[in-house]
Amino acid sequence: MARIIVVTSGKGGVGKTTTSAAFSMGLARRGYRTAVIDFDVGLRNLDLVMGCERRVVYDFVNVINGEANLNQALIRDKRSDNLYVLPASQTRDKEALTREGVGRVLEELAQTFDYVVCDSPAGIERGATMAMYYADDALVVTNPEVSSVRDSDRMLGILASKSRRAENNEEPIREFLLLTRYSPERVHKGEMLSVKDVQDILSLDLLGVIPESPAVLNASNSGVPVILDDHSDAGQAYQDMVGRYLGEELPHRFVDLPRKGFFSRLFGG
Amino acid sequence: MGLLDYFRASRSKKGSAVVARERLQILVAHDRAERDRPSYLPKLQEELIAVISKYVKIDRSKVSVNLERGDRQDILELNIVLSEDTVPSR
Ligand SMILES: Nc1ncnc2c1ncn2[C@@H]1O[C@H](COP(=O)(O)OP(=O)(O)OP(=O)(O)O)[C@@H](O)[C@H]1O
Ligand SMILES: [Mg+2]
């Protein structure tokens, strides 16, 4: 049985798709059979970030509607044999994702995969609620910013009341905080909420802190999940986060200002 | 951070992050209270207003019905401010 993980946030543009791509690639690189599903019906971004947009033939909605089977729609990643992408449909029909249909696809995936990662669209409407409904775990992607933290808190309320686990009175979804686009410099200057500020408010397990990094845009420009950029801060932060998800205890890097020598501290630079 | 920046930073009392944190604490507490409100509260409020209005003039915006959840008991708090012209002069 696979574990189903939703990558969610409420607020748009905080890094869900970036995280879904990195996280699923990280799990696959560690040997787990992983599928990543784009729930952003109508937009479709995940295939671009994963670099498989030209190999899309069938999509999630085709599978739900029985117009294709899963094997026809799943795209195998060229870099990892363990990773498969199920792209979103570009239909404008927001009703295309039905609870029953999504459940059927997830159930079929759960038989052959270890992990199924669901990349949620922004908002708290149909696509987002479908992406979280069947989840076992939730990665709540949050930026150190008032509106993002507030929306994450709202999403926590939804996870706790509107998911399958909540409706069936089962053990609740495990929730993890992933703080992204973090800038230790700006926190140091008092311009940005700190890890502790956000954690105090949301009181969630901190799975990782991903720094604001030019490596993320570089990666998405070339269709390579940033976790494969071993030399980048964001890539390494995502690698750590995957390790923590799998139970490793790792210190949080990229949270504090890099230590500088006495002179550079004195004169800036 | 250079020496100059350091003095500049220590002079300004409050960075905007402090403001952000304070706003968030209030905002999130409010959201959570709202979320935990039982769904019958708005209807209860409407009906209470209707009943009380039969006897005294009240300002609708000055009526609040709240349920405060505690560890051992919940408190249903009803707050009604009478309109000025209904308060009998002494
Ligand atoms: N750690 C980071 N550093 C710098 N830029 C980032 C970082 N994370 C994400 N971004 C940028 O932020 C933008 C939004 O990222 P992404 O598409 O992953 O967000 P999203 O939450 O999936 O958005 P949507 O809600 O629209 O689906 C992208 O341009 C991405 O390159
Ligand atoms: Mg996205």
Side-chain angles (χ1 to χ4, degrees):
Chain A
M1 267 310 266
R3 241 186 132 72
I4 299 171
I5 305 138
V6 63
V7 180
T8 188
S9 69
K11 187 171 160 66
V14 295
K16 293 179 292 298
T17 301
T18 304
T19 297
S20 300
F23 183 58
S24 57
M25 177 61 84
L27 291 171
R29 282 221 296 178
R30 282 165 173 264
Y32 296 102
R33 266 177 70 81
T34 307
V36 56
I37 308 180
D38 190 347
F39 275 77
D40 209 344
V41 168
L43 285 178
R44 188 199 244 163
N45 273 324
L46 181 68
D47 51 335
L48 294 174
V49 176
M50 299 291 299
C52 63
E53 70 278 6
R54 291 172 63 191
R55 294 195 289 142
V56 175
V57 183
Y58 294 111
D59 59 51
F60 193 13
V61 170
N62 290 140
V63 179
I64 288 176
N65 292 343
E67 293 146 4
N69 63 40
L70 252 180
N71 289 333
Q72 292 173 299
L74 284 173
I75 305 170
R76 186 210 228 137
D77 189 88
K78 289 215 162 117
R79 295 147 299 207
S80 170
D81 288 348
N82 290 321
L83 183 58
Y84 290 79
V85 181
L86 184 55
S89 161
Q90 279 177 316
T91 172
R92 270 188 235 123
D93 177 12
K94 293 282 171 203
E95 310 290 293
L97 296 182
T98 60
R99 181 173 286 182
E100 186 271 327
V102 171
R104 239 187 310 118
V105 174
L106 289 176
E107 205 166 296
E108 197 180 334
L109 286 169
Q111 287 167 12
T112 49
F113 284 91
D114 298 314
Y115 292 105
V116 179
V117 178
C118 303
D119 179 18
S120 173
I124 50 174
E125 321 230 306
R126 196 181 190 89
T129 52
M130 284 299 158
M132 55 67 75
Y133 186 75
Y134 293 98
D136 300 307
D137 298 336
L139 307 189
V140 181
V141 181
T142 307
N143 291 167
E145 192 196 312
V146 175
S147 58
S148 173
V149 177
R150 182 202 200 178
D151 284 0
S152 292
D153 189 68
R154 284 183 177 164
M155 191 45 78
L156 291 174
I158 295 174
L159 291 170
S161 61
K162 305 262 163 67
S163 63
R164 176 177 61 171
R165 282 171 174 268
E167 286 180 2
N168 296 348
N169 276 318
E170 291 168 27
E171 204 179 303
I173 294 177
R174 289 197 303 172
E175 301 156 340
F176 301 98
L177 172 63
L178 185 72
L179 198 56
T180 60
R181 312 204 67 163
Y182 195 70
S183 165
E185 290 81 15
R186 304 197 66 189
V187 172
H188 184 78
K189 288 186 193 157
E191 296 172 356
M192 185 182 265
L193 290 165
S194 68
V195 181
K196 184 174 179 299
D197 290 339
V198 178
Q199 243 187 320
D200 281 350
I201 289 166
L202 296 179
S203 14
L204 286 183
D205 274 347
L206 182 66
L207 201 59
V209 179
I210 313 296
E212 172 76 24
S213 166
V216 173
L217 182 59
N218 275 333
S220 81
N221 280 343
S222 35
V224 177
V226 70
I227 197 169
L228 294 177
D229 185 350
D230 292 315
H231 300 294
S232 70
D233 49 358
Q236 292 174 10
Y238 273 117
Q239 288 168 10
D240 287 359
M241 165 263 193
V242 172
R244 280 187 212 104
Y245 177 80
L246 294 172
E248 294 163 18
E249 274 189 35
L250 301 166
H252 290 280
R253 303 188 270 172
F254 319 109
V255 169
D256 299 314
L257 273 184
R259 273 172 207 228
K260 287 181 183 167
F262 174 74
F263 280 102
S264 70
R265 254 202 322 252
L266 201 54
F267 299 110
Chain B
M1 198 156 93
L3 209 49
L4 270 180
D5 295 307
Y6 179 76
F7 286 128
R8 235 174 266 140
S10 59
R11 229 186 296 139
S12 69
K13 282 201 303 284
K14 242 188 192 182
S16 62
V18 177
V19 183
R21 188 174 64 218
E22 285 165 1
R23 287 176 67 210
L24 257 173
Q25 278 161 346
I26 296 166
L27 205 56
V28 166
H30 183 266
D31 285 349
R32 285 179 189 163
E34 194 89 335
R35 212 188 284 157
D36 296 339
R37 264 161 72 104
S39 54
Y40 61 75
L41 277 190
K43 186 135 188 280
L44 176 68
Q45 176 160 343
E46 277 310 301
E47 291 180 11
L48 281 171
I49 291 176
V51 171
I52 295 164
S53 299
K54 281 194 203 162
Y55 302 93
V56 282
K57 207 165 151 203
I58 51 174
D59 182 347
R60 301 180 57 92
S61 65
K62 300 215 172 103
V63 176
S64 73
V65 180
N66 262 309
L67 188 70
E68 214 169 286
R69 303 217 186 250
D71 290 337
R72 297 180 49 211
Q73 56 187 13
D74 295 348
I75 299 172
L76 182 64
E77 182 196 72
L78 184 59
N79 210 322
I80 300 168
V81 179
L82 298 181
S83 299
E84 260 167 35
D85 49 350
T86 53
V87 181
S89 47
R90 284 187 197 153

